[in-house]
Amino acid sequence: PPAITEEVTITTPEGYELLGAVHIPALDISLPVLATWDEALLDAAPCRYSGSLTTGDLVVMGHNYDSHFRPLWHAEAGMQVELTDAAGYVHRFTVAEIETVAGSDGDALSSAYPLTIFTCTADSRHRMVLRCAASDRTQE
């Protein structure tokens, strides 16, 4: 596929700026990913914390709600993750590493992996971080 030169977002009818959608079939996760974050947006859906798909350093965060990222607690290395961007490209990843970091350790959230996903642990004092390696990208 051709290289992506700029990031595309779309605005939903509700007025949210949408980066795309994340799908983790093994955990039955299929959720929108908002392009920016603040506390109110984070209540609505998972959000971009930092980085982008175009620069290969996207970090996505979501609450540990049942309807959001709580199923990540059951993630395992090797699971497939798909992120469909707003332009319709499907970016495929494989969970390479899973770690728990202190909730206060913001530096632990970015990484050399092209996709990092995190949520709070049950006690909300720590974060569960999934580091995902790229598999491929196709246009749907």
Side-chain angles (χ1 to χ4, degrees):
I4 297 173
T5 55
E6 66 180 67
E7 190 168 76
V8 175
T9 60
I10 58 174
T11 302
T12 69
E14 299 81 18
Y16 294 115
E17 187 182 0
L18 191 65
L19 179 67
V22 64
H23 309 282
I24 307 175
L27 299 176
D28 199 28
I29 290 175
S30 186
L31 295 165
V33 176
L34 302 181
T36 59
W37 79 274
D38 63 29
E39 291 300 324
L41 292 175
L42 201 54
D43 281 341
C47 299
R48 175 198 345 231
Y49 176 75
S50 64
S52 76
L53 286 166
T54 58
T55 54
D57 59 353
L58 180 63
V59 179
V60 174
M61 67 176 169
H63 278 308
N64 63 9
Y65 304 155
D66 284 336
S67 59
H68 287 195
F69 279 169
R70 183 168 297 160
L72 289 180
W73 297 351
H74 304 289
E76 296 176 6
M79 282 185 171
Q80 300 303 301
V81 177
E82 293 181 352
L83 201 145
T84 304
D85 67 28
Y89 288 95
V90 179
H91 305 260
R92 291 180 179 84
F93 303 89
T94 302
V95 176
E97 293 180 16
I98 300 170
E99 63 181 316
T100 301
V101 300
S104 58
D105 190 358
D107 291 341
L109 301 176
S110 59
S111 74
Y113 284 99
L115 177 64
T116 299
I117 300 173
F118 72 91
T119 191
C120 289
T121 56
D123 65 8
S124 295
R125 293 186 5 226
H126 296 86
R127 293 183 177 128
M128 180 179 181
V129 183
L130 275 63
R131 311 232 188 251
C132 304
S135 295
D136 69 355
R137 174 177 72 90
T138 58
Q139 188 169 17
E140 293 295 300

